[in-house]
Amino acid sequence: PVSGSTASRTRAAVGPLRRHLKQPRRRPARAQAVADDTNLFDPSYDPRLPCTVITGYLGSGKTTLLNNLLKNSEGKRIAVIENEFGAIDIDSELITDKQNIDGGDTVIMLNNGCLCCTVRSDLINMLLELCSPPRRNNIDHVVIETTGLANPSPIISTFFVEEMLANLARLDGLVTVVDSKHVMLHLDEEKPDDAVNECLQQVALADRIILNKLDLVDDDEATAIEARLRDINRLATVKRTIRGDVPTSYVMDVGGFEIDDVEEQVIESEHQHGHSHDADDCNDPDCGHEHSHSHEHNHSHEHSH
């Protein structure tokens, strides 16, 4: 069972995103119309540009992972959007052209068909730029890097609440890179009241977790870390690595971020917590369950992650 403190902190981490996405969501009409017109016999087809968000605490290895993706794109034409604080040291032999666009943003073209975009203004504008002709015709997937201290919720919600963007792009998944050496310290860091632990939130919302820098811990430590990550997020798949060396498909073929799955996970964690102690033993001030229940639950859920 998930511990009371873990369930409570996870609930607090995903709460802001759940509140932001309370309104019911449906597939954008424009994307549905295009899909119906071009793929009448494939209802799963989605013509929108797939986007992956890569997050992770400072020093987790996001830059190394992004370089690996650009150099080993496996035939995919990838556009990487990086924030202004996280410049990627791109091999100069890969660069074929560099363009400055409105707002001080930069687009670097690589000889393998990939792009690297530095955003200093508005992420939405950059995404719309990539989703529109002629750039859209030459892009298969977008990867967005967040800052190490970033709360991923605003970026996630952008894909669902910004109607124009939702018609052109979809969130394929959230990938979190974890620094094996320091992740426990970050997860246990005490935050001021009403402040969310960013590292905990990055793990709780992830579809895929890359447990990186395993050469800096021993086997027992790695096992304990992975158990802790699964305690926070049982839906995400976890892949161990040393220098962010994972297949491109692990980062890009997630299949679609689902906040409903995250919410269900939190609810089930709360149920486990709520039925694992008596009322007199509960020290969780956020626990909203009645503790007089004595019946057993045997829920069975299937997930696509």
Side-chain angles (χ1 to χ4, degrees):
V2 178
S3 66
S5 60
T6 297
S8 177
R9 296 180 71 192
T10 303
R11 185 170 64 249
V14 302
L17 182 59
R18 290 164 62 191
R19 287 193 296 273
H20 205 72
L21 299 179
K22 282 190 297 185
Q23 65 272 34
R25 300 185 310 283
R26 62 182 183 276
R27 194 175 185 191
R30 178 176 175 181
Q32 183 67 59
V34 174
D36 291 343
D37 183 51
T38 58
N39 290 268
L40 296 176
F41 301 105
D42 185 5
S44 65
Y45 174 74
D46 192 335
R48 294 176 296 169
L49 183 61
C51 302
T52 297
V53 175
I54 294 182
T55 188
Y57 225 67
L58 294 169
S60 61
K62 296 192 302 298
T63 297
T64 301
L65 173 64
L66 290 171
N67 268 305
N68 290 342
L69 292 177
L70 289 173
K71 293 177 181 178
N72 305 288
S73 59
E74 298 180 5
K76 286 184 177 289
R77 297 168 299 178
I78 305 167
V80 172
I81 299 179
E82 58 173 341
N83 58 75
E84 61 179 306
F85 303 108
I88 303 175
D89 186 15
I90 302 173
D91 188 341
S92 59
E93 294 182 357
L94 292 175
I95 298 175
T96 59
D97 193 16
K98 182 176 181 180
Q99 297 178 354
N100 294 320
I101 59 178
D102 294 343
D105 298 343
T106 303
V107 176
I108 298 175
M109 278 141 284
L110 309 183
N111 58 19
N112 59 0
C114 296
L115 301 177
C116 185
C117 314
T118 301
V119 176
R120 290 184 171 81
S121 53
D122 192 332
L123 173 63
I124 296 176
N125 288 339
M126 175 59 77
L127 284 169
L128 292 175
E129 164 87 11
L130 297 177
C131 288
S132 303
R135 294 197 190 278
R136 175 63 181 93
N137 302 330
N138 299 307
I139 298 175
D140 298 316
H141 204 107
V142 172
V143 175
I144 304 169
E145 178 220 15
T146 68
T147 63
L149 296 175
N151 168 0
S153 296
I155 294 179
I156 293 173
S157 63
T158 294
F159 287 91
F160 297 99
V161 301
E162 294 289 339
E163 184 175 358
M164 182 179 295
L165 180 62
N167 284 330
L168 299 172
R170 63 178 176 85
L171 181 59
D172 182 63
L174 178 73
V175 178
T176 296
V177 187
V178 171
D179 172 10
S180 300
K181 183 67 174 178
H182 302 104
V183 64
M184 291 296 209
L185 294 175
H186 297 319
L187 289 173
D188 293 331
E189 183 181 356
E190 293 295 332
K191 295 287 185 176
D193 293 341
D194 299 325
V196 173
N197 183 315
E198 294 88 357
C199 184
L200 178 63
Q201 190 171 54
Q202 291 168 1
V203 172
L205 293 173
D207 294 290
R208 304 265 169 95
I209 297 173
I210 297 175
L211 184 52
N212 198 30
K213 299 188 176 182
L214 280 176
D215 54 324
L216 301 181
V217 297
D218 59 34
D219 290 343
D220 290 341
E221 289 175 310
T223 299
I225 294 168
E226 184 168 345
R228 176 71 180 279
L229 297 176
R230 294 187 184 279
D231 191 30
I232 296 170
N233 185 342
R234 62 178 177 76
L235 298 180
T237 57
V238 179
K239 196 170 193 65
R240 298 186 179 193
T241 186
I242 293 178
R243 292 187 56 81
D245 187 13
V246 297
T248 301
S249 59
Y250 185 77
V251 176
M252 297 189 185
D253 296 333
V254 176
F257 178 88
E258 290 291 345
I259 185 60
D260 293 337
D261 286 348
V262 178
E263 183 171 5
E264 183 176 332
Q265 172 183 236
V266 173
I267 291 173
E268 289 192 1
S269 295
E270 291 170 346
H271 273 295
Q272 289 178 336
H273 172 46
H275 297 291
S276 64
H277 56 70
D278 295 324
D280 294 338
D281 297 329
C282 182
N283 296 315
D284 182 0
D286 296 323
C287 183
H289 292 83
E290 296 179 4
H291 303 143
S292 59
H293 297 184
S294 60
H295 56 279
E296 295 182 355
H297 292 270
N298 189 26
H299 298 172
S300 178
H301 302 279
E302 294 184 359
H303 300 282
S304 60
H305 293 312

